[in-house]
Amino acid sequence: MTDTRQRSFEDNDQKPMGFGRMLRKEDPRFVRGRGRYTDDVQLPGMLHLAILRSPFAHARIVSVDTSAAAALPEVKAVITGADLAGLGLAWMPTLSGDVQAVLATDKVRFQGQEVAFVVATDRYAARDALELIDVEYDVLDPVIDVRQALAEGAPLIRDDLDGKTDNHCFDWETGDADATAAVFAKADVVVSQDLVYPRVHPAPMETCGSVADFDPVEGRLKLWSTTQAPHAHRTLYAMVAGIPEHKIQVISPDLGGGFGNKVPIYPGYVCSIVGSIVTGKPVKWMEDRSENLISTGFARDYIMRGEIAATRDGKILAIRTNVLADHGAFNGTAAPVKYPAGFFGVFTGSYDIEAAYCSMTAVYTNKAPGGVAYACSFRITEAVYLVERIVDCLAYELDMDPAALRLKNFIQPDQFPYMSKTGWEYDSGDYEPTMRLAMELAGYDELRKEQAEKRTRGELMGIGISFFTEAVGAGPRKHMDILGLGMADGCELRVHPTGKAVVRLSVQTQGQGHETTFAQIIAEEIGIAPADIDVVHGDTDNTPFGLGTYGSRSTPVSGAAAALVARKVRDKARLIASSMLEVSVADLEWEKGSFHVKGDPGTAVTIQDIAMRAHGAGDLPDGLEGGLEAQICYNPSNLTYPHGAYICVVDVDPGTAVVKVRRFIAVDDCGTRINPMIIEGQVHGGLTDGVGMALMEMISFDEDGNCLGASLMDYLIPTALEVPDWETGFTVTPSPHHPIGAKGVGESATVGSPPAIVNAVVDALKPYGVRHADMPLTPSRVWDAMRGTAQPP
Ligand code: CDP
């Protein structure tokens, strides 16, 4: 692995007083098997819940007979949709303003939908009892394809919605249709391409689950659950269940990955709460792998037509797209309210163009709900795929090198802040050095020579480029809210008398190393060693309110909150130091961890001395309260816009059409880097995800709506065997509005890598005249592309 342009702090030892490489504080817990996940929670008298799911994609429920199940001695409760309807709990709001059935009452709308649940003394008895529930279904025609869903006379899926007569979910547009049409009309070259981003699943290692413990005497609910957004979930539970918010504690313990899968509120969580209220006991629900794959939030599922207009010499003028978005049976996305298509609006990418336009139609189908931001900032993955694929199609038509085409069209450094043609203000960027570094690390010119030589021998080698700009850190609260909850984040910092500290965050790690990096941010600002700073998160009773972790928003929003709360503490420390050293505040100088008198470094007090004085005997400056702590709620002024240049090298076996990713070079720019080791880990994981999406993963359905990706035997996810040794590098373009200049990075690689891989495979197939092939590029799809027998999307 190659890493260049290391800043000096990155050469520090493993215990930097601030930013730099540092082993993860949480790892001693994890490597010893001492992580505590939701399924590890054991409470006295705890019962177990299992969910009966629909075998059909679309069917009316005629009757549900639970008597045989309820008669089993181990069974403590059997609950149906009708029972929930009696409590007013059969439907719940989704985080995108739709409603979703907790348990089906009228009909089932996707295979795997929740129909009833059993609470029993152990999880095996609960599962066995499901077999005894007799449901009579009246099977209806399923609607699986989005175009079929829009066709005249298509069966109506959402007849639960008043006045609904078709399967439209929403329409959305951005950009300027007329201006874009005018630019297209004058262009020398117009290229259009149909593209499919298939339905994939985040598939975290830990599936979803919860343990609900309702105390009927106090009226208090304690809920351990696999959630990426404990505070937002608590507010929703309060609104739906009518339990006062201050009596609900949501604990999100260690999470075995989230990737967007653990943002929505799932019926299972609500069922466990109902189960506990009904039985008066704690109730655990933990789904199995197939349940996770068939019923929890899927991602993508966009059919896109991309169009690009350019001059003959390769100046990109405009980009236009039309999207059919499959949202499944309920709109279960969790995107800011004003952004029903998430941040797809950044589909103009990293290029300075004259005009852009997107129109989108979102549709209900008889498939699981979702459209979650799987390791991306609300549909940015789809946007980046569209633009980076269509730019390559243009390069193909112009017979131009794809790197040269990109370099010719980048937004220039002096254009930042850059207002895109769809209204996104890119905060900072310097694209060419990033691209050039990737090309240098890859040995781009040499690779092209090698490719040319191999082509003469009939060998299929491909080189694919993707250059992406993301918009991460949702978001300014005036623009962004989820169900009315503004997307700001709280942070509290308390320094104890002995100079150790605890920082409480509203974001929640799912494995990204927050316990380390947030301690590093505080350390950087107030000079207390990361080892002496505890990071508390994932517990609504013990952390300030905030909207949680997804869309790489932790560093842009909560990271800023952490830096600013530390500065508040430092400001107070400065006042105390001035009284301790008997000099004016203006005569003090801060050196990480201590204040000294200007020009006299020997006359100093450390942050630990100050902490003791703040809590101890002796006078404090007039009007200053004791203690050394602060809190903040940070409302970002803008998103941050990280970028990156990825180059992928593949070999395709002409006899079997098997794709091998031989090399992958990833140069990321996420502004100031807090912990380069953690960043590399995030990039490695995201690139591996990218290989999965580009080459292996797809949730598909047969014509009856049976999900064909319901186990990891069918839904293939990549392992170390399918991926190369990642080669990483970086550039640093700080965010001008973030207090430490950091941008998010957690999802950059998942976003940026699929187009690089697809571009590489298509490039390998150039001798066959292939301009495009749809993901996942399995051997059979590559074979079809080579033979010209691929089916249109
Ligand atoms: O929201 P999420 O944690 O998934 O994404 P992120 O904010 O991009 O951060 C992912 C991890 O990378 C965290 O541990 C961050 O602190 C770390 N990171 C970093 O060290 N430097 C950056 N500029 C950005 C993130």
Side-chain angles (χ1 to χ4, degrees), residues 481-496:
D481 68 272
I482 289 190
L483 291 189
L485 300 172
M487 300 192 82
D489 273 311
C491 186
E492 290 172 11
L493 176 62
R494 188 175 298 173
V495 184
H496 300 314

Side-chain angles (χ1 to χ4, degrees), residues 512-514 517 549 552-556 670 672-675 678-679 682 742-746:
Q512 303 93 316
H514 289 184
T517 46
T549 292
S552 299
R553 65 184 297 279
S554 302
T555 304
C670 58
T672 305
R673 294 155 65 85
I674 300 158
N675 186 328
I678 285 185
I679 293 173
Q682 296 284 290
K743 303 178 177 185
V745 77

